[in-house]
Amino acid sequence: MKTLLAVLALLVGATSAFALNKGNAGPKDVTLKFDLPAPAPLSPEEALKSFRLPPGFRIELVASEPMIETPVAISFDDQGRMYVVEMRGYMRDVDGTTEKEPIGRVSLLTDADGDGRMDRATAFADNMVMPRGVMPVKGGALVAEPPNLFFCRDLDGDGKAESRTIVASDYGTFGGQPEHMANTPTWAMDNRIYSAGYGVSFRLQGDTWQRGPGLGRGQWGLCQDDAGRLFFNYNSDLLRADLLPAAAFSRNPLLRTASSVNFQVMRDQAVFPSHPTPGVNRGYDPKTLRADGTLARATSTCGAVVYRGDAFPAEYRGDAFVPEPSSNLVKRLKLTEKDGVIAAEDAHPGTEFLTSTDERFRPVMMANGPDGALYVVDMYRGMLQHPGFLTHYLMANIKARKLETPVNQGRIWRIVRDDKAAPKKTVLQAGVADRVARLSHPNGWVRDAAQRLLVESGDAAAAPALRALLADAAAPAVTRLHALWTLDGLGAITPDDVRTALKDQDVQVRAAAVRLASADLLPDLLAVKDDSAPLVLAHLAIRLSAVNQPAADRTLAELLARHGKNALIREGALSGARGREVALAQAVAAVATRANLTETGPVLEALAALVSQAGKGGPFEQMLAVAVTLDDRTNLRDAVLRGLDQTIRDAKTKKTSPLKTIWLSSEPTALPKLRATVKSAGGLANLTSLSSRLAWMGKPGAPAAPKVTALTKDELARFEKGKVIFTSLCAPCHQPHGYGLDGLAPPLVDSDWVLGKPDVTAKIVLNGLGGPVKVGNRTWDLSMPPMGMLSDEDVAGVLTYIRREWEHNGSPVDAKFVAGVRKQSADHPNSWTADELRPPSRKTAQAK
């Protein structure tokens, strides 16, 4: 032990030469807690002996080095060939010096004899820099290589892509932080292609890639369940999902705390490795490792999949399988659903579905296969953590336990039943009849592939057979759901198809029909208000909230009067309320009674909260007037006042902080009436608080009116350039609306870190920010990766954008200013801490 400590002392003294997250690198004086021998790299055959699975399962090797190297993602085409994304430039040394070298590739693997083991590999797309995803489509494949998303095609049948067409040029950033960029393009049930960490989706129409609202959530990996709901995760958060469509919520950026999207499916983050796992990033923290040396909670979760195959026992279908590479395991979560809300529980309490005692086993993605088996992508290496986040403790582990090498290996495994012969892959044929028939296949991968191929073909000849499936009550519900969405993808869906689906016995089919109903089916939609399923009603609320017709508003108000406290239904309505909050509040108030106040109260409060967040004078006054009309319904009036005052409270800490002053032309006529009639203590407190936020000429104590300096032509061009960069690079975390994402990134709107001295913000962008940082009344213990690879002009654009967007009035920033900050910070190569920067008062900075 003394020898080990002596070695570590030398190592710790040397770590300053390596890339470390200085702002959050942990203590420099490191003592490893467990005296473990350096693990030797294992061959695939040796690694097989290290795995533990429940009885009845076995794991088989599908591919390994030298055929593949550093695999991070896979995807199968309709012939059962496997595309493998090989991020060969990742962490070949502790400084990550090879990440800008064109040594990555996407390989195409073929199993020629059908035994489940890949026999041949060709470099489908070679000489790539840190590729991040692949998805077969239209006879080729989408390949992600930041900042581009390419459509690649093999034109001569040699397995190599001779054609590359750019589909998007904002798909991440060249040289950016690999943990926080767009990845995993995925064709979903609704015929759109979504990606994790990317705010754009695509729909293939002929040869055109039409852009639309995307996910903008998730860290690494994306999958869907049989209903087409998207699942994703973050490295310390095992599983999340969008319970309702992301596109609906993109309509209202102020609805940023909705539980219907980015929903935490699994709350317990405990993991149970089968061996000590000291080589984790914050192993020095007593809460990180248990007494036996095993990781206590997930720290590197990624690449989850919902199992939709047919090779496992029936009770495994619909379960989620989540890799945790830091602890060398795959967790199985049992998913259940009630009224559209999904919950997860550990399927193997105190242990895991798959574990390995091999410290280099790094499962980073799971996948369903064309054979119904469950596939595991194993990056196989010792170094996993990116240098931008390395701690002294982990660096000491890497050095002492010789985990730096090898870096040129990698495996793909598949898990099958042990009591049956290995499953065979399903190959889809070219004919319409075969593809329509495959929509009834028990393997979800096969159904997805069949739907995609039918939609890609554009062949309307499939419509009659699809219509027959949709109307077949004896067919599996999931088959009818695929038939409905395939008709939509072909552009062949008719009003009668939707009417058929609206009457379907299955909740998911009815919910999809509500989504697909055209405007001329409004009478049919209005009749859905009596549906018994909350999920269907939530989709109805989404549709009706944006119709902007009296009949729709009345029906929506009646719906909310009965179901307003249901979060899915209420948030569905709020998603389409942007700019119509007052009109909807008036409609709800018209049907609100003392008998339904438990339903209407939450709705009125939420609508008022949206108005308060928007901070616009006209709607704020109008919402006060709504409160006056509720004088004889005290609880509802108080709900409106609470909503108008509610957004000053942090969602987690409940602490208060000031919001922007709202300037009015004169005192609202509703204020004196409310002061005279509000009697409850809570209502009076809310009224006093919200009144202090209002200002008008002549109001005692009102601040001076703000002066807004218009941007010059050059500054406006810089603003627009910054908007483009922000959308592709920053929005996946901070979100397009600037309000951040819980658990991932703090808000930028009205933040002193954004609107204070611009050199502070420039330093954060250039060098990153590590450790606890207080934003408003909440402390975020996260790391912002450095973006020093951006040019001075790019940084100036981003800073100008965030200092003037969202009704901000900060001064613009130019490239010369950024160059000066970069030069001043040259001796500070790692992340800043909040204590080093300490933002000044925004008002003081803006006055300079």
Side-chain angles (χ1 to χ4, degrees):
M1 186 65 180
K2 289 182 178 179
T3 302
L4 177 61
L5 291 176
V7 171
L8 290 177
L10 291 173
L11 293 173
V12 172
T15 56
S16 61
F18 302 112
L20 284 170
N21 183 0
K22 185 176 179 181
N24 199 18
K28 292 184 178 181
D29 297 326
V30 176
T31 300
L32 299 189
K33 299 179 181 180
F34 303 94
D35 188 3
L36 300 176
L42 302 183
S43 67
E45 293 72 24
E46 293 170 327
L48 276 169
K49 301 175 183 178
S50 73
F51 292 120
R52 296 181 187 175
L53 279 163
F57 292 93
R58 69 177 184 274
I59 189 167
E60 300 176 340
L61 183 67
V62 176
S64 67
E65 70 281 351
M67 180 180 286
I68 57 172
E69 179 183 324
T70 319
V72 296
I74 62 171
S75 190
F76 294 91
D77 70 4
D78 53 275
Q79 300 303 299
R81 300 182 299 177
M82 179 193 292
Y83 289 90
V84 181
V85 179
E86 301 176 61
M87 197 182 280
R88 300 164 75 200
Y90 182 78
M91 288 293 287
R92 298 182 76 86
D93 55 51
V94 293
D95 293 306
T97 59
T98 60
E99 290 188 356
K100 294 184 179 180
E101 295 181 11
I103 56 177
R105 67 188 177 200
V106 174
S107 293
L108 183 57
L109 277 56
T110 305
D111 174 13
D113 56 12
D115 65 351
R117 184 83 173 257
M118 295 297 167
D119 307 298
R120 184 174 67 253
T122 56
F124 177 74
D126 208 351
N127 304 315
M128 309 197 84
V129 178
M130 300 285 282
R132 305 177 57 77
V134 64
M135 189 201 84
V137 63
K138 205 171 176 62
L142 290 177
V143 175
E145 181 197 27
N148 296 315
L149 181 66
F150 293 105
F151 175 48
C152 300
R153 295 185 65 196
D154 171 15
L155 302 179
D156 57 12
D158 63 355
K160 300 178 181 180
E162 291 82 20
S163 170
R164 290 189 189 183
T165 303
I166 294 179
V167 174
S169 57
D170 59 353
Y171 202 85
T173 304
F174 177 81
Q177 168 54 249
E179 291 188 30
H180 298 286
M181 283 197 293
N183 63 86
T184 320
T186 302
W187 185 295
M189 179 79 77
D190 64 0
N191 300 307
R192 302 203 70 89
I193 298 167
Y194 298 90
S195 300
Y198 186 51
V200 176
S201 66
F202 298 95
R203 180 159 180 166
L204 182 59
Q205 299 280 59
D207 294 321
T208 302
W209 304 92
Q210 294 183 348
R211 293 169 70 101
L215 190 65
R217 288 180 284 280
Q219 191 161 343
W220 182 265
L222 183 65
C223 68
Q224 67 174 344
D225 66 1
D226 277 349
R229 288 171 295 202
L230 298 175
F231 289 75
F232 43 90
N233 52 24
Y234 304 96
N235 53 24
S236 297
D237 199 328
L238 286 164
L239 193 64
R240 291 192 175 232
D242 279 359
L243 304 179
L244 295 175
F249 288 82
S250 69
R251 303 178 301 178
N252 195 344
L254 294 178
L255 193 59
R256 63 186 187 273
T257 59
S259 60
S260 303
V261 291
N262 199 37
F263 178 77
Q264 189 176 46
V265 177
M266 182 62 174
R267 299 189 180 279
D268 183 1
Q269 309 302 323
V271 293
F272 300 94
S274 59
H275 69 109
T277 53
V280 293
N281 206 27
R282 304 204 178 276
Y284 58 83
D285 189 325
K287 299 186 295 292
T288 300
L289 299 176
R290 298 186 180 93
D292 62 359
T294 58
L295 184 67
R297 294 168 57 85
T299 66
S300 61
T301 302
C302 53
V305 74
V306 174
Y307 179 68
R308 302 171 60 216
D310 59 344
F312 284 15
E315 61 265 27
Y316 284 79
R317 293 184 188 177
D319 290 355
F321 291 83
V322 187
E324 213 298 340
S326 287
S327 48
N328 322 116
L329 61 83
V330 175
K331 177 178 281 291
R332 174 187 167 209
L333 301 177
K334 196 71 181 174
L335 302 186
T336 57
E337 180 179 350
K338 182 179 180 182
D339 295 337
V341 178
I342 303 170
E345 61 180 15
D346 198 331
H348 306 275
T351 182
E352 301 293 354
F353 176 75
L354 171 65
T355 64
S356 173
T357 55
D358 182 2
E359 197 164 346
R360 288 180 173 82
F361 172 59
R362 302 296 194 185
V364 294
M365 180 169 284
M366 310 295 291
N368 291 296
D371 53 3
L374 184 64
Y375 284 74
V376 186
V377 179
D378 175 8
M379 205 172 179
Y380 203 81
R381 52 174 38 241
M383 290 191 298
L384 184 66
Q385 183 68 61
H386 191 263
F389 299 105
L390 277 174
T391 61
H392 295 286
Y393 176 87
L394 182 53
M395 181 67 74
N397 265 281
I398 290 171
K399 291 290 185 178
R401 307 188 60 241
K402 299 180 173 57
L403 295 174
E404 292 173 275
T405 58
V407 292
N408 61 349
Q409 298 183 321
R411 292 92 191 255
I412 308 295
W413 309 91
R414 74 169 179 174
I415 301 172
V416 298
R417 291 179 65 165
D418 203 24
D419 58 348
K420 290 190 174 183
K424 300 297 182 181
K425 66 183 179 184
T426 297
V427 176
L428 282 83
Q429 305 302 317
V432 166
D434 179 78
R435 293 174 179 177
V436 172
R438 297 295 186 182
L439 295 179
S440 299
H441 199 282
N443 182 357
W445 180 92
V446 176
R447 296 194 304 272
D448 290 351
Q451 176 180 326
R452 175 178 61 80
L453 291 170
L454 286 165
V455 172
E456 288 174 3
S457 74
D459 192 345
L466 292 168
R467 213 158 270 130
L469 270 184
L470 177 63
D472 185 1
V478 70
T479 296
R480 300 197 300 274
L481 185 62
H482 276 286
L484 180 63
W485 280 112
T486 306
L487 283 167
D488 172 67
L490 286 169
I493 196 167
T494 67
D496 284 341
D497 294 331
V498 176
R499 290 189 181 102
T500 296
L502 285 173
K503 298 175 183 177
D504 196 277
Q505 60 187 336
D506 183 74
V507 170
Q508 296 294 348
V509 176
R510 298 201 304 275
V514 172
R515 289 179 66 182
L516 291 170
S518 56
D520 57 346
L521 289 176
L522 180 59
D524 299 87
L525 283 177
L526 297 180
V528 176
K529 68 181 175 62
D530 296 320
D531 197 294
S532 61
L535 181 64
V536 175
L537 297 179
H539 282 277
L540 179 63
I542 289 172
R543 292 300 309 277
L544 294 182
S545 64
V547 171
N548 198 16
Q549 292 186 20
D553 285 354
R554 284 195 302 271
T555 300
L556 181 59
E558 293 169 5
L559 177 65
L560 292 171
R562 285 185 288 167
H563 304 285
K565 65 181 179 182
N566 181 292
L568 294 188
I569 298 172
R570 183 176 66 253
E571 291 173 1
L574 296 175
S575 72
R578 188 74 173 101
R580 301 186 59 244
E581 297 91 347
V582 174
L584 291 177
Q586 290 168 338
V588 172
V591 297
T593 66
R594 289 184 177 86
N596 63 25
L597 64 87
T598 59
E599 305 290 348
T600 52
V603 177
L604 291 171
E605 180 176 339
L607 288 167
L610 292 176
V611 168
S612 181
Q613 277 184 256
K616 302 293 186 180
F620 203 100
E621 284 192 77
Q622 293 166 1
M623 193 61 79
L624 287 172
V626 171
V628 171
T629 67
L630 295 166
D631 181 48
D632 62 333
R633 289 160 285 181
T634 302
N635 291 330
L636 298 179
R637 183 188 57 196
D638 284 358
V640 173
L641 297 178
R642 192 162 55 247
L644 289 174
D645 185 39
Q646 181 172 321
T647 53
I648 64 172
R649 294 178 178 84
D650 183 88
K652 283 198 171 183
T653 66
K654 307 301 181 184
K655 294 180 179 179
T656 59
S657 59
L659 290 178
K660 290 187 296 186
T661 298
I662 298 176
W663 278 90
L664 308 172
S665 58
S666 61
E667 181 180 15
T669 57
L671 273 184
K673 297 177 182 178
L674 290 169
R675 292 192 193 102
T677 56
V678 173
K679 303 300 181 184
S680 67
L684 286 170
N686 292 135
L687 183 60
T688 300
S689 178
L690 68 87
S691 297
S692 68
R693 186 183 173 197
L694 304 178
W696 55 87
M697 293 299 294
K699 180 183 179 181
K707 296 180 180 179
V708 180
T709 303
L711 296 176
T712 66
K713 182 178 180 181
D714 288 345
E715 290 167 347
L716 186 59
R718 197 177 308 134
F719 173 94
E720 293 297 336
K721 181 177 183 180
K723 181 178 181 179
V724 172
I725 298 171
F726 178 89
T727 300
S728 63
L729 184 61
C730 314
C733 294
H734 291 288
Q735 299 296 286
H737 46 63
Y739 284 104
L741 188 62
D742 191 41
L744 185 61
L748 302 178
V749 176
D750 295 334
S751 168
D752 283 334
W753 292 96
V754 172
L755 295 172
K757 289 185 177 180
D759 64 311
V760 170
T761 321
K763 288 176 181 178
I764 293 173
V765 173
L766 292 170
N767 295 80
L769 180 67
V773 56
K774 191 174 183 180
V775 181
N777 280 321
R778 181 175 172 189
T779 298
W780 300 69
D781 193 3
L782 300 168
S783 294
M784 155 100 180
M787 299 295 170
M789 70 286 186
L790 297 176
S791 69
D792 294 338
E793 185 66 30
D794 288 344
V795 174
V798 171
L799 296 185
T800 298
Y801 174 72
I802 65 174
R803 288 170 63 82
R804 293 304 288 261
E805 182 66 333
W806 311 304
E807 299 186 3
H808 287 171
N809 190 30
S811 58
V813 176
D814 59 27
K816 182 178 178 181
F817 177 84
V818 175
V821 175
R822 193 189 295 267
K823 184 176 180 180
Q824 294 170 7
S825 304
D827 294 332
H828 197 289
N830 297 301
S831 297
W832 296 93
T833 66
D835 286 341
E836 290 176 307
L837 296 175
R838 291 191 184 279
S841 165
R842 183 200 332 162
K843 293 180 180 179
T844 301
Q846 287 185 338
K848 291 184 177 181

